[in-house]
């Protein structure tokens, strides 16, 4: 970041840095005492007229209706907040007055006297992201400061309540926090400071060994900081950007669901029988019932499962290149589109850092591989000779002329029209001859038919569980929103 010497003159057109950064740090009371520093001095740093301005606080879209204003705590513009004279904000106000500043200083000094850490986090936000989400107009230099402040009010709750082993405060009045928007650099910076007021005595919140034994824990886990960043971005995204993200994620999920649901019919057939036999031969029989990809990648060459994993990966490559080519290409294309969004939001990736699309493809391949292994374990007789015999019977049966079906089974169906015709022909043939299952799988090839049926059952169970989880999650969110609304109404909002 560089000083601009102006207010709200943010840089535009940057490509390599993240849209939203959130560095975190803390200072212990003993360090501050030793240097003669007071926590309350941070108020002076925050309330610096060279860094702040309330004159350019304006909604960029002007789309906030009356109902939303009533539902947002402390929502007011500067014209209506004539008694509030400071850019500093907190839990229940978007601008502090002189009395609020006095109370804030007193609470900060109390926190320091009781030996608590002061935590600081600073959202550094690129001008491009602000423009894209209707938070900043580079021509007028107006900023929707109220919307930014509301987002930080939400993030403060997450960090204070979830950033440590226990909630930082022992009750809702036991934490002091405040924030401010600084506009004097090429990125907009939103600072957030917070500290526990009363002396910390809870063992879970104190260092239990080492040089700092007995002192309050200061480090906030990285996963909590990343969660706060995601929450902050989502809270501030324009409806258009949010829809864009949701549509891509929905599309990726749709293709994944289609691939998972159609995998049994497309894998457990005559074309892949030989490959599946090779996979079964490569599986370590002393681990039967525990066949899993685990934390490894399918292409890793280590461990007892290595050969089976590599063969399974080759089988999936073939499947994705033939039967499920349209679905796989759709899945991969949308996932890579989401990579571009992530790079746009988070900056250029570091060396060795995996893309979102790569992780999603790994998840998909592992899921299909583990399902195949699970159901191969259903073959009751582990004798390889018996498996060879079953395969031999299967392949010899497949080579017999198919008088009941007019579709050439040796041809790979690539178009949706061909798939529909083949499905219809096969369906009619099944009705005429009940010994046919799927793509020429004979009923008496019991092992493979059992695998196929069990696999489909598991898929249905997984889908139903996912749907129930989403229904419960949506219900919980609705109940939470209703409770918050009723709470605000009860406070006279």
């Amino acid at each position: 970041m560089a000083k601009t010497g102006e207010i709200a003159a943010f840089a535009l057109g940057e490509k390599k840095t993240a849209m939203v950064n959130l560095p975190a740090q803390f200072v212990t009371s003993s360090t501050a005492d030793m240097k003669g520093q007071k926590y309350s001095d941070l108020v002076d740093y925050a309330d610096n007229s060279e860094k702040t301005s309330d004159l350019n606080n304006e909604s960029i879209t002007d789309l906030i209706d009356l109902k939303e204003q009533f539902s947002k705590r402390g929502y007011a513009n500067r014209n209506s907040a004539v008694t509030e004279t400071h850019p500093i904000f907190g839990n229940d106000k978007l601008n502090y007055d002189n009395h609020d500043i006095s109370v804030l200083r007193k609470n900060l000094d109390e926190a320091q006297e009781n030996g608590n850490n002061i935590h600081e986090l600073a959202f550094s936000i690129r001008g491009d992201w602000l423009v894209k989400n209707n938070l900043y107009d580079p021509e007028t230099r107006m900023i929707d400061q109220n919307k930014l402040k509301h987002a930080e009010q939400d993030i403060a709750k997450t960090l204070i309540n979830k950033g440590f082993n226990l909630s930082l405060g022992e009750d809702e009045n036991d934490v002091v926090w405040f924030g401010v928007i600084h506009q004097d650099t090429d990125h907009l910076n939103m600072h957030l400071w917070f500290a526990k007021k009363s002396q910390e005595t809870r063992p879970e919140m104190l260092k239990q060994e080492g040089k700092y034994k007995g002192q309050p824990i200061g480090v906030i886990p990285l996963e909590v900081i990343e969660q706060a960043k995601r929450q902050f971005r989502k809270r501030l995204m324009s409806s258009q950007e949010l829809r864009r993200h949701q549509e891509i994620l929905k599309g990726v999920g749709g293709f994944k669901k289609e691939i998972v649901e159609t995998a049994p019919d497309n894998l457990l057939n005559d074309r892949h029988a030989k490959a599946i036999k090779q996979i079964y031969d490569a599986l370590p029989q002393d681990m039967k019932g525990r066949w899993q990809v685990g934390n490894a990648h399918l292409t890793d060459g280590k461990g007892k499962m290595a050969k089976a994993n590599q063969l399974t990966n080759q089988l999936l490559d073939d499947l994705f290149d033939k039967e499920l080519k349209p679905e796989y290409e759709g899945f991969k294309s949308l996932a890579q589109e989401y990579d571009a969004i992530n790079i746009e939001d988070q900056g250029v990736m570091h060396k060795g850092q995996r893309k979102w699309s790569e992780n999603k493809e790994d998840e998909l391949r592992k899921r299909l591989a583990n399902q195949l292994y699970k159901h191969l374990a259903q073959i009751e007789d582990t004798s390889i000779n018996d498996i060879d015999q079953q395969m031999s019977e299967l392949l010899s049966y497949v080579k017999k002329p198919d008088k009941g079906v007019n579709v050439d089974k040796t041809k790979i169906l690539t178009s949706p029209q061909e798939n529909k015709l083949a499905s219809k022909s096969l369906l009619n043939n099944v009705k005429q001859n009940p010994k046919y299952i799927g793509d020429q799988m004979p009923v008496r090839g019991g092992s493979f038919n059992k695998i196929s049926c069990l696999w489909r059952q598991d898929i249905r169970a997984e889908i139903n569980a996912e749907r129930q989880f989403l229904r419960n999650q949506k219900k919980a969110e609705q109940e939470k929103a209703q409770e918050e609304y009723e709470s605000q109404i009860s406070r006279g909002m």
Side-chain angles (χ1 to χ4, degrees), residues 47 334 468:
D47 197 4
L334 285 179
Q468 185 61 46

Side-chain angles (χ1 to χ4, degrees), residues 359-385:
N359 291 331
K360 287 300 168 185
E361 179 162 355
D362 273 355
E363 289 174 11
L364 175 62
R365 287 176 179 262
K366 281 186 180 183
R367 180 171 180 176
L368 293 174
N370 285 332
Q371 285 177 331
L372 178 62
Y373 296 158
K374 175 182 178 181
H375 298 297
L376 282 177
Q378 301 298 323
I379 296 177
E380 295 175 3
D381 190 346
T382 58
S383 167
I384 291 182
N385 292 328

